[in-house]
Amino acid sequence: MLTLNEEANLPICLEAVKWSNDIVVLDSFSQDETVAAAKHLGARVYQRVFDNFAGQRNFALDQIAFQHEWVLHLDADEIVTPALRVELEAAVGDGRFDAWRVPSKMMFRGRWLRYSGLYPSYQVRLGHRDRFRFKQVGHGQREDLAPERIGTLTEPYLHNSFSKGLTDWFDKHNRYASDEARESLQWVQRGDGLDWSGLVARDPTRRRRALKALAMRLPFRPSLRFLYMYFLRLGFLDGHAGLTYCRLLAIYEYMIVLKRLELASGAIRSGRPHVPDESAKHQ
C-alpha cells in the first residue's frame, strides 16, 4: 500500500484488508500521523522518497520480503470489498496467470459513478511477486507483462478519489496533467503511431490506452471529453454528481492542453527538443 499523508483514509483501507496477515505500507515520508496509524493497525511500514508509482511498487517487490507469493497493490483511498476478497483468494489458487486486472468503482459524494466513472475501469493490481513488475507511463503505472499472462477479475474495489476533498483532487491532477503533457509531447517528438487495431481489441486495457492515445491528438479536447463522458458514456445518468465529475474531467483535460503548449513553446524558444526534468515531477 502506497501512502503520503493518508491518516484520514488509511484506517478504513486497512480495516477492509485486516484478513491479511502481511500488510505492508510503503510511505513517502508523510508529515501527518500516517506511519503511526499504520503501525497501530498492524502494518509493516517502510519509507522511501517518492519518484513515481512504478518505482515505488517495484522497490517494494524487489526490496521487501513479503510473506506470501502473491501481492495485492493498493492506494490508501481504495477499499477491498468482501466479494473481491473471495475472488482474490480464488485467483491466487488459479495458476493460469502471473497477474490479474481488477476493476474499480469510482465513488464521488457517496455515490458510485457507474457511467461517468467508466466502469469497469481496470488496473493490474494483483500479481506474483517474482513474475510481475510495473513501468511508469504518464502519471501512473502500467504492468510490464505480456497480455496473455494477465487474467481479469469481475469484482471491483471502491475508489474514493475525492475522500480528501476537491483541493487535494486538484493538487493531484495538477501534477498528473504535467506528467500527461510531457508524455503526449514525447509521443509527437518520437513519431509514435496510433494503435488503430487497439481501438477494437478485445482486451479492455488495450482499448482504453488506444483511445487515450487517439484523444491526445484531437482538437478541442476539453469540450470533446465532456461531451463524450456526459452524453456518449451516459454520465448524465449519474445525476448531479455525474455532471460535476464530467466538468472536472474537462478541466483536467484543459490543464493538460495548456501544459503541453507551455512545454512545446519552451522547446521552440530553446531550439531543441524539450527534455523533462524527472527530478521535479513530484516535488
Side-chain angles (χ1 to χ4, degrees):
M1 187 179 302
L2 302 184
T3 60
L4 175 63
N5 298 328
E6 293 286 359
E7 64 177 349
N9 285 323
L10 196 59
I12 302 173
C13 181
L14 291 179
E15 175 68 21
V17 292
K18 64 181 182 180
W19 41 265
S20 173
N21 64 354
D22 187 30
I23 302 173
V24 175
V25 168
L26 180 56
D27 181 70
S28 302
F29 292 95
S30 294
Q31 301 301 307
D32 62 3
E33 297 301 312
T34 295
V35 170
K39 291 180 178 178
H40 176 72
L41 293 168
R44 291 193 285 146
V45 179
Y46 298 82
Q47 289 187 299
R48 179 179 186 261
V49 175
F50 187 93
D51 52 0
N52 55 55
F53 288 104
Q56 294 295 91
R57 298 194 193 281
N58 288 338
F59 171 85
L61 291 168
D62 293 334
Q63 302 297 326
I64 297 175
F66 292 100
Q67 295 182 22
H68 304 286
E69 294 181 341
W70 287 83
V71 179
L72 176 65
H73 299 265
L74 291 174
D75 295 331
D77 60 356
E78 297 168 348
I79 308 299
V80 175
T81 66
L84 175 56
R85 174 194 173 181
V86 172
E87 194 172 20
L88 290 170
E89 292 174 342
V92 167
D94 185 283
R96 292 178 295 165
F97 301 104
D98 297 328
W100 294 80
R101 302 178 190 89
V102 186
S104 66
K105 283 185 175 181
M106 174 69 71
M107 309 299 293
F108 181 47
R109 295 178 175 173
R111 176 167 183 162
W112 169 29
L113 298 178
R114 178 173 187 145
Y115 301 97
S116 52
L118 294 178
Y119 180 81
S121 179
Y122 294 95
Q123 288 202 51
V124 177
R125 290 299 189 86
L126 177 66
H128 192 283
R129 67 186 182 195
D130 299 326
R131 303 195 296 265
F132 172 52
R133 292 296 182 272
F134 294 92
K135 58 184 177 181
Q136 187 70 18
V137 178
H139 72 266
Q141 74 279 322
R142 182 180 297 177
E143 68 282 356
D144 193 4
L145 189 65
E148 61 269 19
R149 300 305 308 153
I150 304 171
T152 302
L153 302 185
T154 58
E155 289 293 337
Y157 60 85
L158 306 183
H159 186 195
N160 295 303
S161 184
F162 295 88
S163 57
K164 293 196 288 185
L166 284 173
T167 298
D168 177 77
W169 188 91
F170 275 111
D171 287 344
K172 287 191 299 183
H173 283 74
N174 182 41
R175 298 192 300 272
Y176 296 166
S178 297
D179 294 340
E180 294 287 348
R182 291 187 186 98
E183 183 186 16
S184 65
L185 190 60
Q186 289 171 348
W187 287 347
V188 174
Q189 292 170 347
R190 291 194 304 261
D192 291 355
L194 291 171
D195 181 14
W196 293 107
S197 61
L199 295 173
V200 293
R202 296 182 62 183
D203 180 355
T205 302
R206 184 184 174 193
R207 283 201 311 271
R208 177 169 56 85
R209 291 168 182 168
L211 181 61
K212 176 182 175 182
L214 175 62
M216 282 291 184
R217 292 165 167 81
L218 295 176
F220 312 112
R221 277 172 35 210
S223 297
L224 290 175
R225 182 73 180 272
F226 176 82
L227 293 173
Y228 173 74
M229 297 298 300
Y230 194 67
F231 293 106
L232 292 183
R233 294 305 300 256
L234 306 180
F236 63 89
L237 294 178
D238 289 325
H240 188 265
L243 175 62
T244 301
Y245 184 62
C246 291
R247 285 174 169 170
L248 288 172
L249 291 179
I251 293 171
Y252 172 54
E253 203 71 44
Y254 192 44
M255 292 164 63
I256 298 174
V257 171
L258 293 177
K259 287 172 180 284
R260 176 172 165 174
L261 289 173
E262 183 179 56
L263 291 172
S265 63
I268 293 172
R269 286 196 300 270
S270 68
R272 59 180 183 271
H274 174 77
V275 179
D277 179 4
E278 297 294 328
S279 66
K281 286 172 70 174
H282 293 279
Q283 291 182 356

